[in-house]
Amino acid sequence: MFSQEYVFGLKGGLNTNTIGDIYERPYQGDPGITYQPEKDMGYLLGAYFMVEFNKFFIRPELNYVSLKNHYDFSRKKANWRTSKMEVPLLFGVKILKPVAIYVGPSFNFYDETILDGVQETTFSDGGPDLDRKTTSLNFGIMARYNRFSLDLRYEVTSKKTEEELLDIINSEYGVNLADLRSYKHKILSLSISIDIFRTDGTKLSDIFKSNKYCGCPY
Protein backbone atom coordinates (compact mmCIF):
# COMPACT_ATOMS: atom_id res chain seq x y z
CA MET A 1 0.00 0.00 0.00
CA PHE A 2 1.11 3.57 -0.65
CA SER A 3 1.67 5.90 2.29
CA GLN A 4 -0.54 8.96 2.01
CA GLU A 5 0.02 12.62 2.82
CA TYR A 6 -2.61 15.33 2.68
CA VAL A 7 -1.92 18.93 1.73
CA PHE A 8 -3.98 22.15 1.67
CA GLY A 9 -2.64 25.31 0.08
CA LEU A 10 -3.25 28.61 -1.67
CA LYS A 11 -2.18 29.78 -5.13
CA GLY A 12 -2.09 32.83 -7.35
CA GLY A 13 -0.78 33.69 -10.78
CA LEU A 14 -1.10 35.27 -14.21
CA ASN A 15 -2.58 34.05 -17.49
CA THR A 16 -3.14 34.79 -21.15
CA ASN A 17 -5.93 33.30 -23.24
CA THR A 18 -6.73 32.70 -26.91
CA ILE A 19 -10.13 33.56 -28.40
CA GLY A 20 -11.55 33.81 -31.93
CA ASP A 21 -10.99 36.23 -34.80
CA ILE A 22 -13.66 38.79 -35.65
CA TYR A 23 -14.50 39.19 -39.35
CA GLU A 24 -16.09 42.52 -40.28
CA ARG A 25 -18.54 41.98 -43.13
CA PRO A 26 -18.24 44.23 -46.22
CA TYR A 27 -20.00 47.52 -45.51
CA GLN A 28 -20.87 50.41 -47.88
CA GLY A 29 -18.40 49.20 -50.48
CA ASP A 30 -15.55 48.57 -48.04
CA PRO A 31 -13.99 45.07 -48.15
CA GLY A 32 -14.30 42.66 -45.26
CA ILE A 33 -11.58 42.83 -42.62
CA THR A 34 -10.41 40.17 -40.15
CA TYR A 35 -9.36 41.39 -36.70
CA GLN A 36 -7.24 39.08 -34.60
CA PRO A 37 -7.46 39.27 -30.80
CA GLU A 38 -4.56 40.75 -28.86
CA LYS A 39 -3.62 39.06 -25.57
CA ASP A 40 -3.83 40.94 -22.28
CA MET A 41 -2.70 39.68 -18.89
CA GLY A 42 -5.30 38.17 -16.60
CA TYR A 43 -4.93 36.69 -13.14
CA LEU A 44 -6.06 33.77 -10.98
CA LEU A 45 -6.51 33.12 -7.27
CA GLY A 46 -7.38 29.81 -5.71
CA ALA A 47 -6.94 26.98 -3.27
CA TYR A 48 -6.08 23.31 -3.60
CA PHE A 49 -6.25 20.04 -1.69
CA MET A 50 -3.71 17.38 -2.57
CA VAL A 51 -3.39 13.70 -1.72
CA GLU A 52 0.12 12.31 -2.26
CA PHE A 53 0.94 8.61 -2.78
CA ASN A 54 4.74 8.56 -2.91
CA LYS A 55 5.40 9.63 -6.53
CA PHE A 56 1.74 10.10 -7.45
CA PHE A 57 -0.80 12.73 -6.41
CA ILE A 58 -4.39 13.80 -6.89
CA ARG A 59 -5.04 17.53 -6.71
CA PRO A 60 -8.53 19.09 -6.87
CA GLU A 61 -8.58 22.90 -6.96
CA LEU A 62 -11.05 25.76 -6.72
CA ASN A 63 -9.92 28.87 -8.63
CA TYR A 64 -11.24 32.30 -9.58
CA VAL A 65 -9.88 33.25 -13.02
CA SER A 66 -10.04 36.67 -14.69
CA LEU A 67 -9.49 36.72 -18.48
CA LYS A 68 -8.76 39.70 -20.75
CA ASN A 69 -8.13 40.38 -24.44
CA HIS A 70 -8.75 43.24 -26.87
CA TYR A 71 -9.32 43.91 -30.57
CA ASP A 72 -7.69 46.89 -32.30
CA PHE A 73 -10.64 48.01 -34.43
CA SER A 74 -10.10 50.72 -37.01
CA ARG A 75 -11.25 53.60 -34.79
CA LYS A 76 -10.96 52.36 -31.23
CA LYS A 77 -9.76 49.46 -29.13
CA ALA A 78 -12.51 47.15 -27.89
CA ASN A 79 -11.81 45.25 -24.66
CA TRP A 80 -12.92 41.64 -24.17
CA ARG A 81 -13.29 40.44 -20.59
CA THR A 82 -14.82 37.61 -18.63
CA SER A 83 -14.19 35.58 -15.50
CA LYS A 84 -14.93 32.08 -14.27
CA MET A 85 -14.92 29.79 -11.28
CA GLU A 86 -13.15 26.57 -12.19
CA VAL A 87 -12.79 23.20 -10.51
CA PRO A 88 -9.80 21.29 -11.95
CA LEU A 89 -9.22 17.66 -10.95
CA LEU A 90 -5.58 16.87 -11.63
CA PHE A 91 -3.66 13.58 -11.62
CA GLY A 92 0.11 13.82 -11.46
CA VAL A 93 3.39 11.98 -11.08
CA LYS A 94 6.78 13.16 -9.85
CA ILE A 95 9.26 12.43 -12.63
CA LEU A 96 12.42 14.06 -11.26
CA LYS A 97 13.04 15.59 -7.89
CA PRO A 98 11.53 18.23 -7.63
CA VAL A 99 9.60 18.16 -10.97
CA ALA A 100 6.13 16.69 -11.56
CA ILE A 101 3.78 16.53 -14.54
CA TYR A 102 -0.01 16.28 -14.45
CA VAL A 103 -3.18 16.13 -16.49
CA GLY A 104 -6.89 16.34 -15.74
CA PRO A 105 -10.28 17.85 -16.55
CA SER A 106 -11.62 21.19 -15.38
CA PHE A 107 -15.25 22.15 -14.86
CA ASN A 108 -15.78 25.84 -15.66
CA PHE A 109 -18.55 28.23 -14.64
CA TYR A 110 -18.24 31.49 -16.59
CA ASP A 111 -19.58 34.91 -15.81
CA GLU A 112 -20.95 37.01 -18.67
CA THR A 113 -18.50 37.66 -21.51
CA ILE A 114 -18.34 41.33 -22.52
CA LEU A 115 -16.94 42.90 -25.69
CA ASP A 116 -16.99 46.70 -25.80
CA GLY A 117 -19.18 48.18 -28.51
CA VAL A 118 -21.54 45.25 -29.09
CA GLN A 119 -25.16 46.38 -29.03
CA GLU A 120 -28.52 44.67 -28.89
CA THR A 121 -30.25 44.93 -32.27
CA THR A 122 -32.23 42.71 -34.60
CA PHE A 123 -28.86 41.28 -35.71
CA SER A 124 -27.37 40.65 -32.27
CA ASP A 125 -28.59 39.95 -28.73
CA GLY A 126 -25.64 41.87 -27.28
CA GLY A 127 -23.25 38.89 -27.08
CA PRO A 128 -20.78 37.35 -27.26
CA ASP A 129 -23.37 34.82 -26.15
CA LEU A 130 -21.05 32.00 -25.06
CA ASP A 131 -21.72 28.90 -22.99
CA ARG A 132 -21.59 29.61 -19.26
CA LYS A 133 -20.71 26.01 -18.35
CA THR A 134 -17.85 24.24 -20.13
CA THR A 135 -15.32 21.47 -19.57
CA SER A 136 -11.67 21.65 -20.52
CA LEU A 137 -8.48 19.62 -20.37
CA ASN A 138 -5.51 20.78 -18.30
CA PHE A 139 -1.95 19.58 -18.52
CA GLY A 140 1.21 21.07 -17.14
CA ILE A 141 4.50 20.85 -15.30
CA MET A 142 5.21 21.77 -11.71
CA ALA A 143 8.49 22.38 -9.84
CA ARG A 144 8.31 22.10 -6.04
CA TYR A 145 10.67 23.12 -3.26
CA ASN A 146 9.84 23.03 0.43
CA ARG A 147 6.22 24.24 0.63
CA PHE A 148 6.38 26.27 -2.59
CA SER A 149 5.63 25.25 -6.17
CA LEU A 150 5.85 26.93 -9.57
CA ASP A 151 3.20 25.70 -12.00
CA LEU A 152 3.06 26.19 -15.80
CA ARG A 153 -0.31 25.05 -17.16
CA TYR A 154 -2.04 24.84 -20.54
CA GLU A 155 -5.82 24.50 -20.79
CA VAL A 156 -8.06 23.92 -23.82
CA THR A 157 -11.84 23.56 -23.92
CA SER A 158 -13.37 20.28 -25.03
CA LYS A 159 -15.40 21.77 -27.91
CA LYS A 160 -15.47 24.78 -30.21
CA THR A 161 -17.80 27.72 -29.78
CA GLU A 162 -20.44 28.44 -32.41
CA GLU A 163 -19.89 31.27 -34.89
CA GLU A 164 -21.88 34.33 -33.87
CA LEU A 165 -23.04 37.54 -35.56
CA LEU A 166 -22.24 40.73 -33.62
CA ASP A 167 -23.58 44.24 -34.26
CA ILE A 168 -20.89 46.73 -33.21
CA ILE A 169 -21.29 50.50 -32.89
CA ASN A 170 -19.80 51.66 -36.19
CA SER A 171 -19.59 55.36 -35.35
CA GLU A 172 -17.39 54.63 -32.34
CA TYR A 173 -15.35 51.56 -33.33
CA GLY A 174 -15.40 51.64 -37.13
CA VAL A 175 -16.92 48.15 -37.35
CA ASN A 176 -20.54 47.35 -38.21
CA LEU A 177 -21.80 43.76 -38.57
CA ALA A 178 -19.10 41.21 -37.78
CA ASP A 179 -18.77 37.48 -37.26
CA LEU A 180 -17.07 36.09 -34.20
CA ARG A 181 -15.33 33.05 -35.63
CA SER A 182 -15.64 29.63 -34.00
CA TYR A 183 -12.72 28.76 -31.70
CA LYS A 184 -11.53 26.57 -28.87
CA HIS A 185 -10.76 28.60 -25.77
CA LYS A 186 -7.12 28.12 -24.71
CA ILE A 187 -5.45 29.45 -21.56
CA LEU A 188 -1.78 29.51 -20.59
CA SER A 189 -1.10 30.27 -16.93
CA LEU A 190 1.85 30.55 -14.57
CA SER A 191 1.15 30.36 -10.85
CA ILE A 192 2.89 30.10 -7.48
CA SER A 193 1.51 27.90 -4.70
CA ILE A 194 2.27 27.51 -1.02
CA ASP A 195 1.29 24.54 1.17
CA ILE A 196 -0.46 25.99 4.23
CA PHE A 197 -1.08 22.65 5.94
CA ARG A 198 0.59 19.24 5.56
CA THR A 199 0.13 15.96 7.42
CA ASP A 200 3.82 14.97 7.24
CA GLY A 201 4.61 16.67 10.54
CA THR A 202 6.16 19.83 9.12
CA LYS A 203 4.82 23.27 10.00
CA LEU A 204 4.50 26.44 7.94
CA SER A 205 7.05 28.10 10.23
CA ASP A 206 9.62 25.45 9.21
CA ILE A 207 10.35 27.33 5.99
CA PHE A 208 12.27 29.89 8.09
CA LYS A 209 14.57 27.27 9.63
CA SER A 210 17.96 26.18 8.35
CA ASN A 211 18.07 23.53 5.63
CA LYS A 212 18.94 20.84 8.15
CA TYR A 213 15.70 21.34 10.02
CA CYS A 214 13.38 22.79 7.39
CA GLY A 215 11.27 19.64 7.09
CA CYS A 216 11.32 19.93 3.29
CA PRO A 217 9.02 17.28 1.74
CA TYR A 218 10.99 17.49 -1.51
Side-chain angles (χ1 to χ4, degrees), residues 142-209:
M142 180 187 304
R144 307 200 69 196
Y145 174 74
N146 201 320
R147 288 174 174 262
F148 298 95
S149 63
L150 185 66
D151 182 352
L152 180 63
R153 183 176 304 181
Y154 184 75
E155 175 184 352
V156 58
T157 53
S158 57
K159 66 176 184 177
K160 285 187 174 183
T161 63
E162 295 183 2
E163 188 166 302
E164 183 177 2
L165 176 61
L166 304 177
D167 192 352
I168 301 172
I169 303 174
N170 186 299
S171 60
E172 187 172 355
Y173 293 90
V175 178
N176 191 32
L177 294 181
D179 296 308
L180 174 60
R181 297 302 197 192
S182 176
Y183 67 95
K184 278 193 173 184
H185 200 180
K186 302 170 185 176
I187 302 173
L188 181 66
S189 63
L190 180 66
S191 63
I192 297 176
S193 304
I194 180 170
D195 299 344
I196 302 298
F197 171 79
R198 298 186 59 91
T199 59
D200 60 2
T202 63
K203 299 178 182 179
L204 186 59
S205 58
D206 290 342
I207 63 176
F208 302 106
K209 296 181 179 180

Side-chain angles (χ1 to χ4, degrees), residues 11 27 29 67 78 166 181 188 214 216:
K11 62 179 293 186
Y27 178 65
L67 301 167
L166 304 177
R181 297 302 197 192
L188 181 66
C214 74
C216 303

Side-chain angles (χ1 to χ4, degrees), residues 17-20 67 71 80-82 109-115 125-134 157 159-164 166 180-185:
N17 73 112
T18 301
I19 56 177
L67 301 167
Y71 294 90
W80 168 293
R81 55 195 179 275
T82 190
F109 305 90
Y110 279 89
D111 196 358
E112 182 181 5
T113 300
I114 297 173
L115 174 62
D125 60 2
D129 186 20
L130 304 177
D131 290 342
R132 297 292 188 93
K133 297 180 182 180
T134 68
T157 53
K159 66 176 184 177
K160 285 187 174 183
T161 63
E162 295 183 2
E163 188 166 302
E164 183 177 2
L166 304 177
L180 174 60
R181 297 302 197 192
S182 176
Y183 67 95
K184 278 193 173 184
H185 200 180

Side-chain angles (χ1 to χ4, degrees), residues 39 42 49 87 97 127 136 217:
K39 292 182 173 63
F49 176 75
V87 185
K97 187 178 181 180
S136 56

